[in-house]
Amino acid sequence: CIRDSSISIYQRGIDVLSELLERKNTEERKHADNGEMEQNEKYKDGIFERQDMFLYRGVLQFYSHNHLAALSDFNASYMIKKEMENVYVDSRSQVESRSNINSIDTDLSDVGLCALNINEYKFNTILCYILVSIRKDQ
């Protein structure tokens, strides 16, 4: 009985994160269609970025024993993070080439939060592969 209630809590979390991701995707498409996307909109849309939502939904999928869905979310999180990292490096080099002022140094990756998410991604992905492999063997 306790296990059933915890799975329903995980499923509710998955549903909420899925809804938030869909809303974010819709808003991004709307802004892109209107040409309103700014390059530095990193923290305007709320506390969590898309890659964080995929990571957290992946964790909930993992605890709901949906390991393939969890892998999909972990990989989506990782790919978005890599894209953002490339954009950040490109924009930073452009800014630094124009001036010596390092105004971008307020990014949270400087305090290790992004590294934490990458390590969570790697750890959880490995666990999913192990669990999927064990289920195939049974």
Side-chain angles (χ1 to χ4, degrees), residues 102-138:
N102 292 326
S103 61
I104 303 176
D105 286 336
T106 57
D107 181 18
L108 290 178
S109 63
D110 294 339
V111 295
L113 294 177
C114 293
L116 175 66
N117 284 350
I118 294 298
N119 290 333
E120 285 177 297
Y121 158 77
K122 290 176 182 177
F123 177 78
N124 288 315
T125 300
I126 290 168
L127 282 178
C128 282
Y129 281 122
I130 291 169
L131 292 170
V132 166
S133 173
I134 290 170
R135 282 195 174 174
K136 283 182 181 178
D137 292 340
Q138 292 179 347

Side-chain angles (χ1 to χ4, degrees), residues 4-23:
D4 291 339
S5 66
S6 66
I7 288 177
S8 67
I9 290 170
Y10 295 138
Q11 187 58 50
R12 177 67 182 135
I14 292 167
D15 294 344
V16 167
L17 285 168
S18 296
E19 182 181 323
L20 288 172
L21 279 165
E22 183 57 37
R23 190 179 311 159

Side-chain angles (χ1 to χ4, degrees), residues 43-88:
Y43 301 107
K44 287 185 180 179
D45 290 335
I47 296 173
F48 301 112
E49 295 181 32
R50 284 180 62 233
Q51 73 266 18
D52 296 325
M53 287 189 220
F54 276 111
L55 176 71
Y56 303 142
R57 188 173 73 176
V59 170
L60 293 171
Q61 296 277 19
F62 176 85
Y63 285 112
S64 295
H65 305 285
N66 300 326
H67 300 112
L68 291 175
L71 275 170
S72 176
D73 282 342
F74 293 146
N75 288 328
S77 174
Y78 181 77
M79 296 308 291
I80 294 167
K81 170 67 183 132
K82 282 299 184 189
E83 280 179 30
M84 289 182 65
E85 207 171 77
N86 291 337
V87 168
Y88 175 75

Side-chain angles (χ1 to χ4, degrees), residues 27-41 44:
E27 289 172 9
E28 286 176 5
R29 281 193 299 270
K30 183 180 77 173
H31 288 299
D33 290 344
N34 294 334
E36 297 174 359
M37 271 315 244
E38 293 179 19
Q39 186 177 359
N40 249 347
E41 286 193 351
K44 287 185 180 179

